[in-house]
Amino acid sequence: MVNPVASAPVPRATAFHCPSCGASLELHAQGWAVTVVCGSCGAQLDAANEQLRVLQYGEKPRLSPRIPLGTRGTWKGVAWEAIGCQVVTITVEEVDYSWTEYVCFNPFRGFLYLSEYQGHWNVIEKLRRRPTQSSGGDQPTFTLDGRTYKHFQTAVARTTAALGEFPWELRVGDRVVSQDYVAAPYLLSAEASEGEITWSQGIYTRGDAIQKAFGLPREFMAPIGVFANQPNPYADLPKQLGKRFMLGVLALVVMLLLTITMASDRDVFSQTYTYDRSVGENGAFVTSAFTLEGRPSGVAIDLRADLANDWVFFTLSLINEQTGATREVTRQLEYYSGTDSDGSWSEGDRSETVRLSSVPAGRYFLRVQPEGGDVGRQSVNYTLRVRRDPPHYGFYGLAFLVLVIPLVFALFPAAAFENRRWAESDHPIGGTTTTSDDE
């Protein structure tokens, strides 16, 4: 079925002459346009007046619209014709920032507006209803269609150049107080002039989509910087990685449960000893033998000493009774505690576990060499316990870090993009606000 709005021919322009310079003018939106700006002399004319009464004399516009006036295109199935453009400027901290706004016309739909700033485009429609203010304060918000828009910038905007037809009474030099609110990719704008407030809604649009819609042969300039309502290209990255992170954590939990279930963690030896410091370095001894069964797997040696503001150093050698193969490890236990002006404190630990990997089955004994500590204390009691095939959790901690690090780093690009966005606003993140010098 043919769309009657899209297929209907656009009415032909009506010819007039500029009463200021006599140049030929064409009105594309006669009966709709309120002001027309002569391209030859820049005079702003009353389009509703049959004689095109001069509203304001001007200078020849020096505009080179990226969408030449008279260009026709199709946007979302509707035919539009570009009939006017104006340059709008604000001044912030004594620096001028200008953008171009285009007026597009369809006799059945009325007007559509486009704006372009440094390669960033918005398709804009005037609102017939006022958004609802949802919060006030330093950064007020408004709500429309379920979206919450945060205040971005307030500035005095002035028309610095114009060309073509406009559905309002326009004069170069006109000023309005403009307030922008952002919910990317949407932008709410409120323009206040002479006690009247006009609301509009823009949606950020790629320049190549505008170029294609109007069939323009030359590519538009690439966007520069970050625009107020430009979508954050990294916004979904944390969410996407978050899903993978949860799947990875689920897999780790399953593997951990299997490890705990399958690990036998059998006690094969346990004994309590007393280290007598009076024997000095002659305190080394060997334990009774014990058996390690099954396939080569891990061995855990648990050490616990009854320390109180003391320390002791152990040299442990696991020796195979048949082959003499030796695995040697060292550990120091220390524990101190007390009170001070901040209250009770403690440091160190009375116990520690030493792990040996892939120990073959066989008969083993331990050679134990305790030494050191507070010479003022004669002896220390300690316990040795040996476990076969203990569960090992270190891998899972490392694997969790491997999963979480990309998730953490994924937050940085999104945050950096938002910092660049809000740096141009009245509410820079972590900075001071900026306001227009013209306000």
mmCIF file of all heavy atoms in Angstrom, residues 286-294 296-297 299 301 316-328 356 358-367 388:
data_model
loop_
_atom_site.group_PDB
_atom_site.id
_atom_site.type_symbol
_atom_site.label_atom_id
_atom_site.label_comp_id
_atom_site.label_asym_id
_atom_site.label_seq_id
_atom_site.Cartn_x
_atom_site.Cartn_y
_atom_site.Cartn_z
ATOM 1 N N VAL A 286 62.954 -36.693 63.663
ATOM 2 C CA VAL A 286 62.091 -37.248 62.614
ATOM 3 C C VAL A 286 60.858 -37.841 63.283
ATOM 4 O O VAL A 286 60.920 -38.364 64.402
ATOM 5 C CB VAL A 286 62.814 -38.304 61.763
ATOM 6 C CG1 VAL A 286 63.962 -37.679 61.004
ATOM 7 C CG2 VAL A 286 63.304 -39.467 62.613
ATOM 8 N N THR A 287 59.745 -37.736 62.577
ATOM 9 C CA THR A 287 58.486 -38.277 63.080
ATOM 10 C C THR A 287 58.395 -39.752 62.767
ATOM 11 O O THR A 287 59.228 -40.312 62.021
ATOM 12 C CB THR A 287 57.298 -37.554 62.440
ATOM 13 O OG1 THR A 287 57.257 -37.882 61.038
ATOM 14 C CG2 THR A 287 57.413 -36.051 62.594
ATOM 15 N N SER A 288 57.395 -40.386 63.295
ATOM 16 C CA SER A 288 57.108 -41.762 62.898
ATOM 17 C C SER A 288 56.605 -41.764 61.464
ATOM 18 O O SER A 288 56.126 -40.752 60.943
ATOM 19 C CB SER A 288 56.065 -42.365 63.836
ATOM 20 O OG SER A 288 54.882 -41.576 63.845
ATOM 21 N N ALA A 289 56.716 -42.902 60.795
ATOM 22 C CA ALA A 289 56.347 -43.002 59.378
ATOM 23 C C ALA A 289 54.825 -43.041 59.234
ATOM 24 O O ALA A 289 54.091 -43.470 60.130
ATOM 25 C CB ALA A 289 56.971 -44.230 58.748
ATOM 26 N N PHE A 290 54.378 -42.606 58.070
ATOM 27 C CA PHE A 290 52.954 -42.647 57.722
ATOM 28 C C PHE A 290 52.839 -42.968 56.240
ATOM 29 O O PHE A 290 53.805 -42.824 55.475
ATOM 30 C CB PHE A 290 52.247 -41.336 58.054
ATOM 31 C CG PHE A 290 52.957 -40.107 57.550
ATOM 32 C CD1 PHE A 290 52.761 -39.637 56.258
ATOM 33 C CD2 PHE A 290 53.857 -39.432 58.379
ATOM 34 C CE1 PHE A 290 53.419 -38.509 55.817
ATOM 35 C CE2 PHE A 290 54.519 -38.302 57.927
ATOM 36 C CZ PHE A 290 54.299 -37.832 56.644
ATOM 37 N N THR A 291 51.662 -43.419 55.821
ATOM 38 C CA THR A 291 51.461 -43.885 54.451
ATOM 39 C C THR A 291 50.618 -42.890 53.663
ATOM 40 O O THR A 291 49.568 -42.442 54.141
ATOM 41 C CB THR A 291 50.781 -45.262 54.448
ATOM 42 O OG1 THR A 291 51.583 -46.194 55.173
ATOM 43 C CG2 THR A 291 50.573 -45.762 53.017
ATOM 44 N N LEU A 292 51.077 -42.584 52.462
ATOM 45 C CA LEU A 292 50.299 -41.789 51.500
ATOM 46 C C LEU A 292 49.834 -42.737 50.413
ATOM 47 O O LEU A 292 50.656 -43.350 49.707
ATOM 48 C CB LEU A 292 51.147 -40.657 50.910
ATOM 49 C CG LEU A 292 51.695 -39.625 51.897
ATOM 50 C CD1 LEU A 292 52.529 -38.572 51.157
ATOM 51 C CD2 LEU A 292 50.562 -38.956 52.657
ATOM 52 N N GLU A 293 48.520 -42.867 50.236
ATOM 53 C CA GLU A 293 47.968 -43.817 49.276
ATOM 54 C C GLU A 293 47.429 -43.097 48.043
ATOM 55 O O GLU A 293 47.307 -41.867 48.010
ATOM 56 C CB GLU A 293 46.842 -44.617 49.940
ATOM 57 C CG GLU A 293 47.294 -45.446 51.137
ATOM 58 C CD GLU A 293 46.134 -46.166 51.804
ATOM 59 O OE1 GLU A 293 44.966 -45.742 51.565
ATOM 60 O OE2 GLU A 293 46.379 -47.119 52.560
ATOM 61 N N GLY A 294 47.072 -43.933 47.036
ATOM 62 C CA GLY A 294 46.395 -43.424 45.847
ATOM 63 C C GLY A 294 47.332 -42.813 44.814
ATOM 64 O O GLY A 294 48.563 -42.909 44.909
ATOM 65 N N PRO A 296 49.288 -39.893 42.579
ATOM 66 C CA PRO A 296 50.019 -38.699 43.027
ATOM 67 C C PRO A 296 49.057 -37.520 43.190
ATOM 68 O O PRO A 296 48.314 -37.183 42.271
ATOM 69 C CB PRO A 296 51.017 -38.448 41.895
ATOM 70 C CG PRO A 296 51.218 -39.784 41.266
ATOM 71 C CD PRO A 296 49.881 -40.478 41.370
ATOM 72 N N SER A 297 49.039 -36.939 44.350
ATOM 73 C CA SER A 297 48.148 -35.811 44.626
ATOM 74 C C SER A 297 48.775 -34.949 45.713
ATOM 75 O O SER A 297 49.890 -35.210 46.177
ATOM 76 C CB SER A 297 46.754 -36.296 45.052
ATOM 77 O OG SER A 297 46.844 -37.105 46.205
ATOM 78 N N VAL A 299 49.597 -32.807 49.248
ATOM 79 C CA VAL A 299 49.756 -33.062 50.679
ATOM 80 C C VAL A 299 49.735 -31.721 51.388
ATOM 81 O O VAL A 299 50.393 -30.763 50.947
ATOM 82 C CB VAL A 299 51.076 -33.802 50.977
ATOM 83 C CG1 VAL A 299 51.349 -33.821 52.484
ATOM 84 C CG2 VAL A 299 51.023 -35.218 50.439
ATOM 85 N N ILE A 301 50.454 -29.857 55.116
ATOM 86 C CA ILE A 301 51.049 -29.968 56.447
ATOM 87 C C ILE A 301 50.559 -28.784 57.257
ATOM 88 O O ILE A 301 50.892 -27.630 56.947
ATOM 89 C CB ILE A 301 52.584 -29.986 56.377
ATOM 90 C CG1 ILE A 301 53.069 -31.112 55.457
ATOM 91 C CG2 ILE A 301 53.172 -30.139 57.769
ATOM 92 C CD1 ILE A 301 54.577 -31.088 55.219
ATOM 93 N N LEU A 316 60.891 -28.056 57.445
ATOM 94 C CA LEU A 316 60.195 -29.337 57.335
ATOM 95 C C LEU A 316 60.656 -30.059 56.079
ATOM 96 O O LEU A 316 60.646 -29.473 54.984
ATOM 97 C CB LEU A 316 58.685 -29.129 57.299
ATOM 98 C CG LEU A 316 58.059 -28.353 58.471
ATOM 99 C CD1 LEU A 316 56.585 -28.089 58.185
ATOM 100 C CD2 LEU A 316 58.229 -29.115 59.769
ATOM 101 N N SER A 317 61.011 -31.336 56.234
ATOM 102 C CA SER A 317 61.430 -32.144 55.083
ATOM 103 C C SER A 317 60.558 -33.386 55.027
ATOM 104 O O SER A 317 60.538 -34.182 55.989
ATOM 105 C CB SER A 317 62.902 -32.539 55.202
ATOM 106 O OG SER A 317 63.731 -31.389 55.264
ATOM 107 N N LEU A 318 59.813 -33.532 53.921
ATOM 108 C CA LEU A 318 59.012 -34.739 53.694
ATOM 109 C C LEU A 318 59.898 -35.727 52.946
ATOM 110 O O LEU A 318 60.301 -35.463 51.803
ATOM 111 C CB LEU A 318 57.749 -34.404 52.903
ATOM 112 C CG LEU A 318 56.820 -35.568 52.602
ATOM 113 C CD1 LEU A 318 56.189 -36.116 53.883
ATOM 114 C CD2 LEU A 318 55.727 -35.145 51.610
ATOM 115 N N ILE A 319 60.174 -36.883 53.566
ATOM 116 C CA ILE A 319 61.159 -37.830 53.024
ATOM 117 C C ILE A 319 60.483 -39.155 52.739
ATOM 118 O O ILE A 319 59.778 -39.715 53.606
ATOM 119 C CB ILE A 319 62.329 -38.027 54.007
ATOM 120 C CG1 ILE A 319 62.981 -36.660 54.320
ATOM 121 C CG2 ILE A 319 63.356 -39.003 53.460
ATOM 122 C CD1 ILE A 319 64.019 -36.720 55.420
ATOM 123 N N ASN A 320 60.684 -39.676 51.526
ATOM 124 C CA ASN A 320 60.172 -40.987 51.143
ATOM 125 C C ASN A 320 61.065 -42.054 51.772
ATOM 126 O O ASN A 320 62.282 -42.069 51.564
ATOM 127 C CB ASN A 320 60.155 -41.127 49.621
ATOM 128 C CG ASN A 320 59.458 -42.392 49.176
ATOM 129 O OD1 ASN A 320 59.895 -43.511 49.478
ATOM 130 N ND2 ASN A 320 58.367 -42.212 48.429
ATOM 131 N N GLU A 321 60.433 -42.934 52.559
ATOM 132 C CA GLU A 321 61.194 -43.933 53.312
ATOM 133 C C GLU A 321 61.918 -44.908 52.398
ATOM 134 O O GLU A 321 63.034 -45.376 52.711
ATOM 135 C CB GLU A 321 60.238 -44.682 54.245
ATOM 136 C CG GLU A 321 60.907 -45.526 55.309
ATOM 137 C CD GLU A 321 59.902 -46.129 56.255
ATOM 138 O OE1 GLU A 321 59.027 -46.911 55.784
ATOM 139 O OE2 GLU A 321 59.968 -45.821 57.450
ATOM 140 N N GLN A 322 61.349 -45.251 51.214
ATOM 141 C CA GLN A 322 61.952 -46.230 50.322
ATOM 142 C C GLN A 322 63.020 -45.608 49.410
ATOM 143 O O GLN A 322 64.088 -46.180 49.205
ATOM 144 C CB GLN A 322 60.882 -46.902 49.452
ATOM 145 C CG GLN A 322 59.998 -47.915 50.193
ATOM 146 C CD GLN A 322 58.924 -47.226 51.006
ATOM 147 O OE1 GLN A 322 58.447 -46.152 50.654
ATOM 148 N NE2 GLN A 322 58.538 -47.851 52.118
ATOM 149 N N THR A 323 62.708 -44.428 48.837
ATOM 150 C CA THR A 323 63.598 -43.853 47.825
ATOM 151 C C THR A 323 64.497 -42.750 48.369
ATOM 152 O O THR A 323 65.492 -42.387 47.731
ATOM 153 C CB THR A 323 62.768 -43.269 46.662
ATOM 154 O OG1 THR A 323 61.994 -42.156 47.147
ATOM 155 C CG2 THR A 323 61.832 -44.319 46.084
ATOM 156 N N GLY A 324 64.141 -42.172 49.492
ATOM 157 C CA GLY A 324 64.909 -41.062 50.025
ATOM 158 C C GLY A 324 64.600 -39.716 49.375
ATOM 159 O O GLY A 324 65.242 -38.709 49.719
ATOM 160 N N ALA A 325 63.673 -39.703 48.442
ATOM 161 C CA ALA A 325 63.294 -38.435 47.795
ATOM 162 C C ALA A 325 62.765 -37.465 48.849
ATOM 163 O O ALA A 325 61.977 -37.848 49.721
ATOM 164 C CB ALA A 325 62.230 -38.687 46.735
ATOM 165 N N THR A 326 63.252 -36.225 48.773
ATOM 166 C CA THR A 326 62.970 -35.248 49.818
ATOM 167 C C THR A 326 62.328 -33.992 49.239
ATOM 168 O O THR A 326 62.766 -33.477 48.197
ATOM 169 C CB THR A 326 64.260 -34.863 50.570
ATOM 170 O OG1 THR A 326 64.856 -36.043 51.113
ATOM 171 C CG2 THR A 326 63.968 -33.860 51.679
ATOM 172 N N ARG A 327 61.310 -33.513 49.911
ATOM 173 C CA ARG A 327 60.686 -32.220 49.594
ATOM 174 C C ARG A 327 60.802 -31.359 50.836
ATOM 175 O O ARG A 327 60.270 -31.715 51.897
ATOM 176 C CB ARG A 327 59.211 -32.406 49.213
ATOM 177 C CG ARG A 327 58.968 -33.391 48.056
ATOM 178 C CD ARG A 327 59.084 -32.694 46.721
ATOM 179 N NE ARG A 327 57.974 -31.803 46.488
ATOM 180 C CZ ARG A 327 56.798 -32.184 45.945
ATOM 181 N NH1 ARG A 327 56.604 -33.450 45.620
ATOM 182 N NH2 ARG A 327 55.844 -31.292 45.735
ATOM 183 N N GLU A 328 61.516 -30.227 50.742
ATOM 184 C CA GLU A 328 61.775 -29.391 51.906
ATOM 185 C C GLU A 328 61.063 -28.043 51.792
ATOM 186 O O GLU A 328 61.071 -27.418 50.730
ATOM 187 C CB GLU A 328 63.277 -29.166 52.081
ATOM 188 C CG GLU A 328 63.630 -28.374 53.346
ATOM 189 C CD GLU A 328 65.123 -28.258 53.561
ATOM 190 O OE1 GLU A 328 65.759 -29.286 53.886
ATOM 191 O OE2 GLU A 328 65.649 -27.138 53.375
ATOM 192 N N LEU A 356 52.099 -29.189 49.431
ATOM 193 C CA LEU A 356 53.008 -29.811 48.468
ATOM 194 C C LEU A 356 52.158 -30.462 47.388
ATOM 195 O O LEU A 356 51.170 -31.142 47.693
ATOM 196 C CB LEU A 356 53.882 -30.861 49.146
ATOM 197 C CG LEU A 356 54.767 -30.357 50.305
ATOM 198 C CD1 LEU A 356 55.451 -31.530 50.993
ATOM 199 C CD2 LEU A 356 55.788 -29.366 49.796
ATOM 200 N N SER A 358 51.374 -32.912 44.008
ATOM 201 C CA SER A 358 51.706 -34.135 43.279
ATOM 202 C C SER A 358 52.763 -34.984 43.990
ATOM 203 O O SER A 358 53.853 -35.241 43.460
ATOM 204 C CB SER A 358 52.192 -33.773 41.860
ATOM 205 O OG SER A 358 52.281 -34.925 41.056
ATOM 206 N N VAL A 359 52.439 -35.449 45.183
ATOM 207 C CA VAL A 359 53.336 -36.332 45.943
ATOM 208 C C VAL A 359 52.938 -37.782 45.674
ATOM 209 O O VAL A 359 51.783 -38.159 45.906
ATOM 210 C CB VAL A 359 53.252 -36.023 47.452
ATOM 211 C CG1 VAL A 359 54.175 -36.963 48.230
ATOM 212 C CG2 VAL A 359 53.601 -34.568 47.716
ATOM 213 N N PRO A 360 53.869 -38.636 45.183
ATOM 214 C CA PRO A 360 53.520 -40.035 44.878
ATOM 215 C C PRO A 360 53.152 -40.811 46.137
ATOM 216 O O PRO A 360 53.508 -40.432 47.267
ATOM 217 C CB PRO A 360 54.792 -40.591 44.233
ATOM 218 C CG PRO A 360 55.582 -39.390 43.826
ATOM 219 C CD PRO A 360 55.246 -38.317 44.807
ATOM 220 N N ALA A 361 52.458 -41.916 45.942
ATOM 221 C CA ALA A 361 52.113 -42.786 47.060
ATOM 222 C C ALA A 361 53.387 -43.413 47.643
ATOM 223 O O ALA A 361 54.411 -43.543 46.967
ATOM 224 C CB ALA A 361 51.142 -43.867 46.596
ATOM 225 N N GLY A 362 53.337 -43.807 48.920
ATOM 226 C CA GLY A 362 54.480 -44.449 49.578
ATOM 227 C C GLY A 362 54.487 -44.193 51.063
ATOM 228 O O GLY A 362 53.586 -43.574 51.626
ATOM 229 N N ARG A 363 55.571 -44.718 51.699
ATOM 230 C CA ARG A 363 55.774 -44.502 53.130
ATOM 231 C C ARG A 363 56.683 -43.291 53.310
ATOM 232 O O ARG A 363 57.748 -43.173 52.672
ATOM 233 C CB ARG A 363 56.430 -45.728 53.763
ATOM 234 C CG ARG A 363 55.540 -46.953 53.802
ATOM 235 C CD ARG A 363 54.576 -46.904 54.959
ATOM 236 N NE ARG A 363 55.280 -47.021 56.245
ATOM 237 C CZ ARG A 363 54.691 -46.906 57.420
ATOM 238 N NH1 ARG A 363 53.376 -46.631 57.490
ATOM 239 N NH2 ARG A 363 55.387 -47.040 58.547
ATOM 240 N N TYR A 364 56.271 -42.361 54.193
ATOM 241 C CA TYR A 364 56.997 -41.113 54.381
ATOM 242 C C TYR A 364 57.156 -40.825 55.865
ATOM 243 O O TYR A 364 56.434 -41.382 56.724
ATOM 244 C CB TYR A 364 56.237 -39.939 53.742
ATOM 245 C CG TYR A 364 56.234 -39.941 52.225
ATOM 246 C CD1 TYR A 364 55.315 -40.703 51.522
ATOM 247 C CD2 TYR A 364 57.146 -39.166 51.509
ATOM 248 C CE1 TYR A 364 55.299 -40.699 50.133
ATOM 249 C CE2 TYR A 364 57.142 -39.143 50.123
ATOM 250 C CZ TYR A 364 56.212 -39.905 49.438
ATOM 251 O OH TYR A 364 56.203 -39.893 48.063
ATOM 252 N N PHE A 365 58.124 -39.954 56.179
ATOM 253 C CA PHE A 365 58.236 -39.374 57.511
ATOM 254 C C PHE A 365 58.688 -37.923 57.341
ATOM 255 O O PHE A 365 59.155 -37.513 56.276
ATOM 256 C CB PHE A 365 59.203 -40.165 58.400
ATOM 257 C CG PHE A 365 60.605 -40.248 57.858
ATOM 258 C CD1 PHE A 365 61.551 -39.254 58.135
ATOM 259 C CD2 PHE A 365 61.002 -41.343 57.069
ATOM 260 C CE1 PHE A 365 62.836 -39.338 57.643
ATOM 261 C CE2 PHE A 365 62.301 -41.414 56.570
ATOM 262 C CZ PHE A 365 63.220 -40.415 56.850
ATOM 263 N N LEU A 366 58.548 -37.172 58.399
ATOM 264 C CA LEU A 366 58.942 -35.767 58.400
ATOM 265 C C LEU A 366 60.190 -35.571 59.243
ATOM 266 O O LEU A 366 60.292 -36.116 60.355
ATOM 267 C CB LEU A 366 57.827 -34.885 58.959
ATOM 268 C CG LEU A 366 56.632 -34.563 58.066
ATOM 269 C CD1 LEU A 366 55.553 -33.840 58.886
ATOM 270 C CD2 LEU A 366 57.053 -33.694 56.881
ATOM 271 N N ARG A 367 61.143 -34.832 58.716
ATOM 272 C CA ARG A 367 62.252 -34.328 59.517
ATOM 273 C C ARG A 367 61.900 -32.892 59.904
ATOM 274 O O ARG A 367 61.637 -32.057 59.037
ATOM 275 C CB ARG A 367 63.562 -34.357 58.753
ATOM 276 C CG ARG A 367 64.762 -33.894 59.590
ATOM 277 C CD ARG A 367 66.048 -33.880 58.774
ATOM 278 N NE ARG A 367 67.188 -33.519 59.602
ATOM 279 C CZ ARG A 367 67.548 -32.279 59.922
ATOM 280 N NH1 ARG A 367 66.836 -31.245 59.456
ATOM 281 N NH2 ARG A 367 68.606 -32.047 60.687
ATOM 282 N N ARG A 388 46.221 -35.938 53.299
ATOM 283 C CA ARG A 388 46.386 -36.408 51.918
ATOM 284 C C ARG A 388 45.226 -35.914 51.058
ATOM 285 O O ARG A 388 44.071 -35.948 51.471
ATOM 286 C CB ARG A 388 46.430 -37.935 51.893
ATOM 287 C CG ARG A 388 46.560 -38.566 50.512
ATOM 288 C CD ARG A 388 47.833 -38.151 49.816
ATOM 289 N NE ARG A 388 48.235 -39.117 48.786
ATOM 290 C CZ ARG A 388 49.207 -38.918 47.919
ATOM 291 N NH1 ARG A 388 49.885 -37.766 47.957
ATOM 292 N NH2 ARG A 388 49.528 -39.838 47.040
#
